[in-house]
Amino acid sequence: MGVPRFGRPKKDGELSSNLYVANCGRAVGHSDDDIASVFCKFGELQGVYAADESGTRVIVSYFEEGSAQSALNALDGRPCPELGGRSLHIRYSVLQPTPQDKVSDLVPVSVTASDLSIPGIYLVHDFITAKEEEALLQAVDCRPWNSLSKRRVQHYGYEFRYDTRNVNTRHCLGELPSFVSPILERISSCSTFKNAENVVLDQLTVNEYPPGVGLSPHIDTHSAFEDLIFSLSLSGPCIMEFRRYANSDGLPRVISSAATKVESPEDDSNFIRRAIYLPPRSLLLMSGEARYAWQHYIPHHKVDKVNGRVIRRASRRVSFTFRKIPISFE
């Protein structure tokens, strides 16, 4: 359930799907999205990770080794116009395995949003019934799926482009399907969700995760979507983790028992990390600080540990993520 750890290859010339990239990062004005937009041209990314606390080195992780090799050959030692003309220094980096039981105990897992203590997070258990869950799954299974490297997706309203990490606003797919109308009505009338009653959600991404497949750390592109992001979990449970630099402005210097300091890839760097358990039929809202300041991700595990209880992931987990396109884009 941890943040991926990387190190130098043990053998000279050893290839990898992960790249250690120096001379770019937040400290020199590059967001993870900026970096991803450069490297996604060579293949589908698993994620972009801070390599150390300097903010000038990152890990770029691909699904395919060949994508990493193409990126290294094209970008290493050359000025990159999209990143301010800085010359990138790139080498391979390999994932360091961590024992499953040790990983699972790194971060205490909350079962309620109040225990998580991240402003802007709300979680409603049993937001829909088992019968409604079955109907939603049948509805999407009757429609075509698009296959990514390790999961399948469907898009409604607007298409999300994984190569640009943004919404294709020129390609409106029409209104959201009628089978989610009761969900949208329930969201707008739910007293738990602040500022949701007047929001017209118009973008839906459906993800299907096989066992062991998760979601890499990221923050949904700020310019692509408005503040409120809702995620409905169906069929199977999972752990969702959140992380933020421990020394970020506005965060307490003393880390509570609900957060954990963790070493980041390649060097020492401290993160605040928290985790929450998402049972089937629950609805999660990320807004405000949780939406804009914390990366969220689903660890790539087949088994999760929730406060000492071992929970095996189901044969599939399906999520419905509802978002709102900014008015200026419509």
Side-chain angles (χ1 to χ4, degrees):
M1 190 166 57
V3 177
R5 293 179 55 84
F6 298 86
R8 292 177 178 271
K10 294 182 179 180
K11 300 178 181 179
D12 291 339
E14 180 181 354
L15 301 182
S16 170
S17 60
N18 309 299
L19 299 175
Y20 177 77
V21 184
N23 205 26
C24 68
R26 295 183 180 182
V28 289
H30 308 140
S31 69
D32 290 349
D33 286 341
D34 294 334
I35 298 167
S37 68
V38 172
F39 283 85
C40 70
K41 299 173 184 177
F42 302 93
E44 186 182 353
L45 295 174
Q46 291 198 61
V48 176
Y49 312 95
D52 55 47
E53 62 185 356
S54 71
T56 61
R57 294 178 283 271
V58 299
I59 297 293
V60 176
S61 180
Y62 288 96
F63 281 108
E64 302 293 340
E65 190 176 275
S67 300
Q69 185 175 15
S70 296
L72 187 149
N73 292 338
L75 300 175
D76 182 36
R78 296 179 175 86
C80 182
E82 297 94 335
L83 297 177
R86 302 179 72 89
S87 294
L88 304 180
H89 306 289
I90 306 174
R91 59 176 167 80
Y92 290 114
S93 187
V94 294
L95 185 65
Q96 301 294 316
T98 307
Q100 180 72 41
D101 56 349
K102 181 179 179 181
V103 172
S104 297
D105 286 334
L106 280 177
V107 183
V109 178
S110 301
V111 295
T112 66
S114 59
D115 289 340
L116 191 66
S117 298
I118 297 179
I121 288 283
Y122 302 88
L123 179 66
V124 177
H125 290 246
D126 295 314
F127 188 78
I128 63 173
T129 66
K131 185 176 181 179
E132 290 172 321
E133 176 186 40
E134 182 180 357
L136 289 172
L137 292 171
Q138 289 178 351
V140 294
D141 283 337
C142 288
R143 300 189 175 212
W145 291 91
N146 296 319
S147 294
L148 302 182
S149 178
K150 294 189 177 182
R151 67 183 194 272
R152 300 193 300 174
V153 300
Q154 295 180 16
H155 297 292
Y156 298 95
Y158 291 87
E159 179 186 6
F160 184 79
R161 293 287 302 274
Y162 295 97
D163 54 349
T164 62
R165 300 170 74 93
N166 212 324
V167 172
N168 182 1
T169 57
R170 297 180 180 179
H171 186 199
C172 180
L173 305 175
E175 296 183 355
L176 298 190
S178 59
F179 59 79
V180 299
S181 296
I183 308 302
L184 298 177
E185 293 174 5
R186 200 169 302 168
I187 288 174
S188 64
S189 63
C190 182
S191 61
T192 301
F193 303 135
K194 296 181 179 180
N195 305 320
E197 53 186 53
N198 295 321
V199 174
V200 180
L201 300 169
D202 55 8
Q203 197 277 332
L204 167 63
T205 297
V206 181
N207 282 285
E208 181 193 56
Y209 300 91
V213 174
L215 190 64
S216 298
H218 70 286
I219 295 175
D220 286 46
T221 307
H222 289 188
S223 60
F225 306 109
E226 292 192 354
D227 181 38
L228 306 183
I229 297 178
F230 296 88
S231 181
L232 179 66
S233 295
L234 304 177
S235 186
C238 76
I239 300 296
M240 179 172 283
E241 289 196 20
F242 298 84
R243 74 178 188 183
R244 182 174 179 174
Y245 286 104
N247 59 355
S248 295
D249 292 341
L251 286 177
R253 299 305 182 199
V254 179
I255 300 179
S256 71
S257 60
T260 304
K261 286 187 177 182
V262 191
E263 291 183 353
S264 80
E266 294 282 354
D267 204 342
D268 291 340
S269 177
N270 292 328
F271 289 98
I272 294 177
R273 287 176 54 210
R274 298 176 183 173
I276 192 167
Y277 175 60
L278 302 180
R281 298 182 294 281
S282 64
L283 183 69
L284 178 77
L285 166 62
M286 292 181 289
S287 62
E289 179 181 316
R291 185 260 190 268
Y292 293 110
W294 292 75
Q295 291 185 328
H296 62 278
Y297 55 104
I298 300 171
H300 299 270
H301 294 159
K302 292 185 178 181
V303 176
D304 294 312
K305 185 178 288 187
V306 181
N307 300 331
R309 184 164 60 104
V310 175
I311 298 176
R312 182 169 296 278
R313 294 194 186 171
S315 59
R316 71 189 299 210
R317 174 180 177 266
V318 177
S319 67
F320 281 47
T321 302
F322 297 93
R323 293 170 285 209
K324 176 73 174 73
I325 303 300
I327 295 177
S328 60
F329 278 4
E330 294 179 336

